[in-house]
Amino acid sequence: MTTQLFSRFILLILLLGVTCQLQATHNRAGEITYEQIGDLTIRATITTYTRTSSFAADRDSLQMFWGDGSFDILLRANGDGEELPNDIKVNRYIGEHTYPTRGEFKLSTVDPNRVAGILNIDFPNSVNIQFYLETTFTLLDPRFQGENNSAILLQPPIDVACVNQPFVHNPNAYDPDGDSLAYELITPFQEEGVEVPNYQLPDRITPGPDNQINLDPITGEFLWESPPILGDFNITYRISEFRNGVLINTIIRDMQILVRACPDQNRPPIIDVPAEICVVAGQTVRLDILATDLDSFEILTITALGGPFEVEESAAMITVDNPLPTSEATAQFTWETICDHVQEEFYQVVIKVTDDLSRPMSGLATLQTIRIKVVAPPPIGISAEKVNDLVTISWDNPYTCDFARTFQGFSVWRREGSLDINQDTCLNGLEGRGYERVVFLTDETELDRYIAQDAELERGKILCYRVVAEFAQLTPAGNLFNRTASLPSEEVCIRTSGEEPLITNVTIDETDDTDGGLTLRWLGPDASLVDTTELVGPYSLDIYESAGIDGPGTLIRSIQSLSFDSLTDSVLVRSGLQTSLTPYDYRIEFISGTDQDAFVASSDPASSVFLTSQGSDQSIRLNWSERVPWDNFNYRISEVNPDGTIVMIDEATDGFYEVDGLVNGEEHCYIIESVGSYGLESVPDPLTNLSNESCATPRDDQAPCSPILTVNSICDNPAFQDPSRLVNTLTWSPCPDGDLDGYRIYYTPSIGSEEELIAELNASAVTFDHILDDNIAGCYTIASFDQGGNESERDIEICVDNCPNYELPNAFTPNDDDANDLFTPRVNLFIDRIQFEVFNRWGNKVWETTDPQINWDGTNLSDQELAEGTYYYICEVFESRVNGVIQRPDVLRGSIQLLR
């Protein structure tokens, strides 16, 4: 007998030995976790939470299926199990296994029964449902991909909730490898691939508006707003682990929620902590925690679990004051972060405040999740130097975190033109922020500096560089995984050549339709970067101007010199411009030599900032734009007072701003001052330029809200028969706008016909009766209007239809006794016309009409009296409807007794 067959035989004997115990209530919750302890070896732990009082079903061992066709019986590693309050015992079964090869494997275990009475699992038969756990993982090659350990679930998977009180739980998973985690709720399993029968999420048991659940897929926080009934519920998490965007592990955690009664309307504690904190490695996180309770004389207990408490070095601490029978408790969370804590993923801490632990079955807990990101500091002392066709970038050595275990070197990033970026502590690295990586990883040093070089240069460019430190875990073969970057360094910029002039200012001096003015400033070619032995004179600077920013430009001035050093002019004042109507754009060409041998280098174009303003209700909208070769990173917004003084009112970072709180009818004027930089040491910094002045007057151009209209007609009454008063009753929700002046009601008798105004009502009106003559069909819209005459949209049309009815009698007596002398319809509602024909017994037509009222007096088509007897009719009915005249689908047929 092989070893595997023998093991299966022993297992069969053990299972037969407990057959009589299969109905004993037992399993509440659990999961399977593992750690990789060798090239092909893992150590796995089955953790179960069971009912302590179920002695008959207590398991001193469980079977583990390793996912490669083999299994083992794992003995309980924590003695007889650890007993907890609320009839709960925690059991841990630990085993090691070596796989024959790498691949994806599924760890699983199954136990014959769950606890009885779980309300959302095949109630009331949950005791007959097997308890199944699984964890799927990829066994990686540590040499090339790094080790792969499962997440550690720090919060136990069993918790107590109070009926009609908010319940929050967080499994608080921590991944020691720094992999990213995602959470979702799934249906529990009873065996591999087989879901438990008749499972419902907790909010589907006694559903209602307050019985709602929500799971945060990032933090794993589960919220059950108001458990409506007492009992036990189970939910199942699937926690997925990703490395470099690739799924490598999933843990299925089965957890139980015990919903219990809370005496005296106990309310949960209150705690207020930040949701996210970002900190630079080396800084200390200090957080004062204050918990309060609306109920007096509660004993509040504060605890905390999370990744910062699990790190190997400089772990976090929480200092809790001794709980007293008061409505407050305090604690201090402290974490002295170090460079080894740097990682891309947030650490997670769950603060838990529990009230009165003397009532373990009814005490309430409040959980708050804090996400903490530890980022590496930026490299400092950045400089750049161009020699010939090579740029050398250097920065300070040592770097603050270059001794960290995960430090791997630096990357250098470049962009054309300067860019002021928001140095947000939570936003590390430069991916997607306008830079490209030109040096991927380096730790080269020269003397007391780190250095990197860039040889991919193009003439006539301003190149700007930033450096970030790179961190990652490293496999024995030198492969990186779970990379993260530091905060980016300050920016340093260089010019790849010096012949091109640099425009520095296009600032408006005077705003006018015909006589506006501006000042243009520039820096000529850089003498330190120009080889005048190659670029010989004569020299000239040609200045081109265009109205607008898309024209070719017209030459407006040429500055000429025989020597390079004499090109000293750098300012041009312009007048006679339409600065209130258009921006002005400039380009400057540097020309060396003559004719076809001339060398030409052109500046990048630069325009003035052009501002427009538009008045709205108690506000003015400002919009501005420009085209400049430098980076404008800030805009100062100023108001020009009637006396000419200028007062700055705010700042913005883009080309839009709205000034609120103004008085309608009063003109206001504004200018924008742009603030920017080339990022070059040789260029003045910052560069400031004024826009044109733009004025506008706030006016009430905002329509009030659109009322929500409903229409009730007399046809809504099933017993309606009397057409003597035809009325449609309109009602609408009142509009809350402060300057509301009233409502206008529009009507059209049929779909598609032209609307007409039928009523204009004051602002207090909320209903209107529309009385009609012969039918109620029609469509209505309603609009509100304000004191400025602005009318709201009325695109929602409400239509009502007639309720046609037509019934005929079967006899009449045309004998001139003023009683029943005419044949008329018994009911005639909303009929447009008919085609009514009367026939004698031989089938000859004797009378006809199209009048819905008929009024047949018993004569024939020649106005001669007809004899008494039975006559027959055919009547086609054409109904008046909101979409036109529609023929009734059924034709009326019948007999008429003519009696004299």
Side-chain angles (χ1 to χ4, degrees):
M1 180 180 297
T2 65
T3 302
Q4 188 169 346
L5 289 176
F6 179 75
S7 298
R8 291 182 181 272
F9 175 75
I10 294 298
L11 176 64
L12 179 61
I13 296 300
L14 290 172
L15 292 177
L16 289 174
V18 298
T19 301
C20 62
Q21 304 171 8
L22 293 182
Q23 300 304 310
T25 62
H26 188 56
N27 289 288
R28 295 179 180 273
E31 73 267 346
I32 300 174
T33 56
Y34 71 92
E35 56 181 323
Q36 188 172 357
I37 60 174
D39 190 28
L40 296 172
T41 303
I42 68 167
R43 178 184 295 120
T45 301
I46 304 171
T47 304
T48 65
Y49 290 74
T50 59
R51 190 187 293 272
T52 306
S53 57
S54 297
F55 304 108
D58 187 46
R59 308 284 189 253
D60 61 2
S61 61
L62 283 179
Q63 185 182 28
M64 171 72 87
F65 293 93
W66 297 106
D68 60 355
S70 65
F71 63 90
D72 283 317
I73 297 173
L74 306 186
L75 298 178
R76 184 160 51 198
N78 60 334
D80 294 331
E82 179 186 352
E83 294 188 11
L84 304 176
N86 299 326
D87 197 20
I88 299 168
K89 179 194 286 189
V90 59
N91 311 277
R92 292 185 177 86
Y93 308 86
I94 302 175
E96 297 179 3
H97 184 71
T98 299
Y99 288 89
T101 185
R102 307 189 193 285
E104 184 177 295
F105 301 98
K106 182 179 293 182
L107 306 174
S108 63
T109 188
V110 63
D111 200 39
N113 59 296
R114 294 175 177 265
V115 295
I118 302 175
L119 295 181
N120 61 332
I121 295 181
D122 199 28
F123 184 77
N125 302 311
S126 62
V127 69
N128 298 322
I129 307 300
Q130 292 187 128
F131 181 70
Y132 174 82
L133 299 172
E134 73 174 38
T135 289
T136 302
F137 73 99
T138 303
L139 187 60
L140 304 178
D141 188 336
R143 296 170 299 171
F144 302 102
Q145 299 166 298
E147 293 183 345
N148 175 18
N149 303 292
S150 71
I152 303 169
L153 281 61
L154 302 173
Q155 201 74 27
I158 192 159
D159 217 338
V160 178
C162 283
V163 69
N164 296 325
Q165 295 283 1
F167 168 76
V168 180
H169 177 85
N170 195 321
N172 200 4
Y174 165 66
D175 190 87
D177 303 323
D179 297 319
S180 62
L181 304 175
Y183 301 81
E184 61 180 318
L185 293 179
I186 64 171
T187 300
F189 291 92
Q190 61 179 345
E191 59 182 280
E192 183 177 353
V194 181
E195 296 176 344
V196 300
N198 302 318
Y199 177 75
Q200 293 178 293
L201 287 169
D203 60 337
R204 296 296 87 200
I205 306 295
T206 315
D210 297 327
N211 183 14
Q212 303 291 325
I213 65 173
N214 180 67
L215 176 70
D216 188 320
I218 296 175
T219 67
E221 188 168 281
F222 172 82
L223 169 64
W224 190 358
E225 290 188 2
S226 183
I229 59 175
L230 305 177
D232 297 344
F233 296 81
N234 273 61
I235 61 172
T236 299
Y237 281 90
R238 176 156 51 209
I239 304 170
S240 299
E241 179 181 331
F242 297 86
R243 180 172 297 177
N244 299 330
V246 178
L247 178 66
I248 59 173
N249 173 287
T250 59
I251 299 174
I252 291 180
R253 164 177 264 200
D254 204 310
M255 79 160 287
Q256 188 165 72
I257 305 169
L258 313 176
V259 182
R260 300 294 184 256
C262 295
D264 304 323
Q265 296 298 314
N266 185 25
R267 290 165 292 183
I270 300 171
I271 181 173
D272 184 19
V273 294
E276 285 189 359
I277 298 172
C278 295
V279 61
V280 178
Q283 296 178 344
T284 299
V285 180
R286 289 188 176 89
L287 185 63
D288 292 327
I289 302 167
L290 172 64
T292 60
D293 201 302
L294 297 176
D295 304 315
S296 301
F297 303 108
E298 293 278 10
I299 298 178
L300 300 182
T301 302
I302 302 176
T303 58
L305 294 171
F309 299 100
E310 304 295 323
V311 294
E312 293 181 4
E313 296 182 46
S314 192
M317 298 183 297
I318 185 165
T319 305
V320 182
D321 294 340
N322 292 328
L324 297 173
T326 65
S327 58
E328 289 190 356
T330 59
Q332 296 78 39
F333 172 83
T334 305
W335 189 23
E336 296 182 359
T337 63
I338 61 175
C339 293
D340 283 337
H341 296 156
V342 170
Q343 65 175 35
E344 184 65 24
E345 299 301 319
F346 279 80
Y347 293 87
Q348 187 163 287
V349 175
V350 176
I351 308 294
K352 183 176 184 179
V353 181
T354 308
D355 67 13
D356 207 347
L357 290 181
S358 65
R359 297 174 290 154
M361 296 299 289
S362 60
L364 282 176
T366 297
L367 274 69
Q368 290 286 348
T369 301
I370 308 173
R371 303 175 73 227
I372 304 174
K373 186 168 186 177
V374 182
V375 299
I380 60 174
I382 311 300
S383 66
E385 181 183 13
K386 178 180 177 292
V387 177
N388 297 325
D389 292 326
L390 191 69
V391 175
T392 299
I393 307 101
S394 66
W395 56 98
D396 286 357
N397 176 20
Y399 164 63
T400 307
C401 285
D402 58 10
F403 60 87
R405 289 194 302 266
T406 56
F407 172 74
Q408 304 300 335
F410 301 91
S411 58
V412 180
W413 299 70
R414 183 187 73 187
R415 63 169 274 120
E416 183 179 331
S418 177
L419 179 64
D420 182 72
I421 63 173
N422 179 23
Q423 191 69 289
D424 184 346
T425 307
C426 287
L427 191 59
N428 56 310
L430 285 169
E431 291 282 358
R433 301 176 72 178
Y435 291 79
E436 63 170 337
R437 183 159 37 195
V438 292
V439 177
F440 281 77
L441 200 63
T442 181
D443 59 358
E444 184 180 353
T445 60
E446 185 175 288
L447 299 177
D448 60 346
R449 306 279 288 172
Y450 285 104
I451 65 166
Q453 293 180 325
D454 180 19
E456 297 182 7
L457 308 182
E458 181 181 349
R459 293 186 65 83
K461 302 298 182 184
I462 296 176
L463 300 180
C464 298
Y465 297 87
R466 292 182 189 266
V467 180
V468 298
E470 298 284 351
F471 296 78
Q473 296 190 56
L474 190 66
T475 70
N479 294 312
L480 305 179
F481 66 97
N482 288 342
R483 301 179 65 157
T484 188
S486 72
L487 296 174
S489 73
E490 294 293 332
E491 184 183 66
V492 61
C493 302
I494 58 96
R495 298 177 67 180
T496 59
S497 56
E499 299 87 0
E500 300 81 8
L502 292 181
I503 298 176
T504 58
N505 292 92
V506 186
T507 186
I508 301 297
D509 301 321
E510 185 68 33
T511 300
D512 195 81
D513 289 352
T514 58
D515 195 23
L518 61 77
T519 298
L520 172 70
R521 291 185 176 88
W522 66 90
L523 296 176
D526 190 339
S528 66
L529 297 174
V530 173
D531 186 352
T532 55
T533 62
E534 293 185 4
L535 298 181
V536 297
Y539 305 99
S540 67
L541 291 176
D542 291 350
I543 302 173
Y544 292 84
E545 176 186 79
S546 68
I549 58 175
D550 54 359
T554 301
L555 179 65
I556 59 171
R557 183 172 179 181
S558 182
I559 303 171
Q560 299 180 352
S561 174
L562 292 176
S563 67
F564 186 86
D565 294 336
S566 299
L567 291 173
T568 56
D569 288 353
S570 61
V571 180
L572 176 64
V573 177
R574 296 285 292 150
S575 61
L577 304 178
Q578 298 176 320
T579 52
S580 62
L581 305 178
T582 183
Y584 282 83
D585 195 55
Y586 295 88
R587 178 174 56 87
I588 302 176
E589 288 185 353
F590 166 66
I591 303 173
S592 168
T594 58
D595 303 329
Q596 68 256 24
D597 295 329
F599 171 83
V600 179
S602 177
S603 73
D604 287 325
S607 77
S608 60
V609 179
F610 187 69
L611 171 66
T612 61
S613 57
Q614 182 179 3
S616 187
D617 186 18
Q618 300 180 43
S619 68
I620 292 177
R621 292 188 291 267
L622 304 177
N623 290 276
W624 61 91
S625 60
E626 79 277 15
R627 178 175 69 167
V628 294
W630 59 85
D631 174 36
N632 277 336
F633 53 82
N634 190 35
Y635 299 92
R636 298 167 182 157
I637 301 146
S638 297
E639 183 170 2
V640 182
N641 293 323
D643 62 1
T645 59
I646 299 175
V647 179
M648 192 178 82
I649 59 174
D650 207 348
E651 295 179 296
T653 57
D654 50 25
F656 171 82
Y657 187 82
E658 185 159 359
V659 186
D660 296 317
L662 303 178
V663 177
N664 287 339
E666 295 182 2
E667 185 182 63
H668 294 264
C669 299
Y670 300 92
I671 59 173
I672 303 296
E673 183 181 32
S674 65
V675 182
S677 174
Y678 273 111
L680 295 168
E681 292 184 0
S682 59
V683 178
D685 195 327
L687 302 176
T688 60
N689 290 276
L690 296 176
S691 75
N692 57 299
E693 180 180 330
S694 182
C695 302
T697 302
R699 301 187 187 281
D700 184 2
D701 62 352
Q702 300 298 310
C705 68
S706 298
I708 300 175
L709 177 67
T710 59
V711 182
N712 294 311
S713 75
I714 54 178
C715 284
D716 295 332
N717 180 6
F720 165 66
Q721 294 290 336
D722 180 15
S724 60
R725 188 173 187 271
L726 301 180
V727 60
N728 291 325
T729 299
L730 286 67
T731 57
W732 56 91
S733 58
C735 198
D737 295 65
D739 63 344
L740 178 70
D741 203 35
Y743 302 94
R744 295 187 179 112
I745 298 174
Y746 298 83
Y747 168 75
T748 176
S750 61
I751 295 175
S753 58
E754 185 175 353
E755 286 186 327
E756 62 172 322
L757 176 67
I758 61 171
E760 186 168 295
L761 308 171
N762 62 37
S764 62
V766 292
T767 185
F768 173 73
D769 284 342
H770 185 206
I771 300 173
L772 300 107
D773 295 330
D774 54 2
N775 73 84
I776 63 166
C779 298
Y780 299 87
T781 58
I782 186 172
S784 59
F785 62 93
D786 61 21
Q787 297 166 5
N790 301 297
E791 185 175 286
S792 69
E793 297 289 337
R794 48 187 178 92
D795 52 349
I796 300 178
E797 187 177 58
I798 305 297
C799 296
V800 295
D801 204 354
N802 290 318
C803 45
N805 194 5
Y806 198 66
E807 297 179 9
L808 297 176
N810 58 10
F812 74 119
T813 57
N815 54 10
D816 295 327
D817 62 355
D818 294 330
N820 202 25
D821 285 334
L822 297 175
F823 183 80
T824 58
R826 204 164 40 228
V827 179
N828 176 17
L829 290 176
F830 310 122
I831 304 302
D832 178 77
R833 68 181 189 277
I834 62 173
Q835 184 61 48
F836 181 78
E837 297 177 322
V838 181
F839 301 88
N840 61 22
R841 72 177 72 180
W842 296 284
N844 298 319
K845 183 192 298 184
V846 297
W847 197 79
E848 65 180 351
T849 186
T850 58
D851 181 4
Q853 196 56 29
I854 300 179
N855 291 322
W856 181 34
D857 60 0
T859 62
N860 62 16
L861 293 171
S862 301
D863 292 331
Q864 298 173 336
E865 288 188 353
L866 292 169
E868 288 187 324
T870 301
Y871 294 85
Y872 303 92
Y873 69 86
I874 297 175
C875 182
E876 296 179 4
V877 181
F878 296 84
E879 300 172 339
S880 178
R881 292 285 193 173
V882 70
N883 54 348
V885 176
I886 305 297
Q887 182 176 354
R888 184 166 156 174
D890 58 317
V891 177
L892 302 181
R893 303 173 187 271
S895 62
I896 305 172
Q897 292 296 321
L898 192 157
L899 304 173
R900 293 194 185 276

